[in-house]
Amino acid sequence: MVDQEILTVLKIDLQISTDKMDDYLYRLIQAAKSYIQSEGIKLTRTAGDGMLVEMYAAYLYRRRRE
């Protein structure tokens, strides 16, 4: 999955319908990728890896909101 596809799934997961948060969400996606890769995991463009990044980005978003 490419970042645009991950962003689409992330917005659905977080129930965000506007584009106002896209820059912030893109940064969360990049942070999620970085954190995952820092653990030694090599990410590919598969749907499974894309969903892993999305789930971690959603976690980061929800953690900051609490």
Side-chain angles (χ1 to χ4, degrees):
M1 293 176 89
V2 295
D3 288 352
Q4 181 59 41
E5 294 169 318
I6 296 170
L7 176 65
T8 300
V9 175
L10 179 60
K11 288 172 70 173
I12 292 169
D13 185 8
L14 299 174
Q15 299 178 347
I16 297 173
S17 59
T18 67
D19 295 336
K20 294 179 182 179
M21 304 264 311
D22 283 4
D23 288 337
Y24 177 66
L25 295 176
Y26 268 123
R27 292 186 191 277
L28 286 180
I29 290 168
Q30 295 308 314
K33 285 182 177 182
S34 178
Y35 291 139
I36 292 168
Q37 290 172 336
S38 72
E39 295 296 322
I41 298 169
K42 182 175 173 150
L43 294 171
T44 62
R45 290 188 173 196
T46 63
D49 284 356
M51 291 304 295
L52 174 64
V53 171
E54 185 280 327
M55 287 185 286
Y56 198 80
Y59 164 78
L60 293 172
Y61 177 86
R62 289 181 177 119
R63 193 178 93 200
R64 297 274 292 170
R65 301 251 336 168
E66 291 178 358

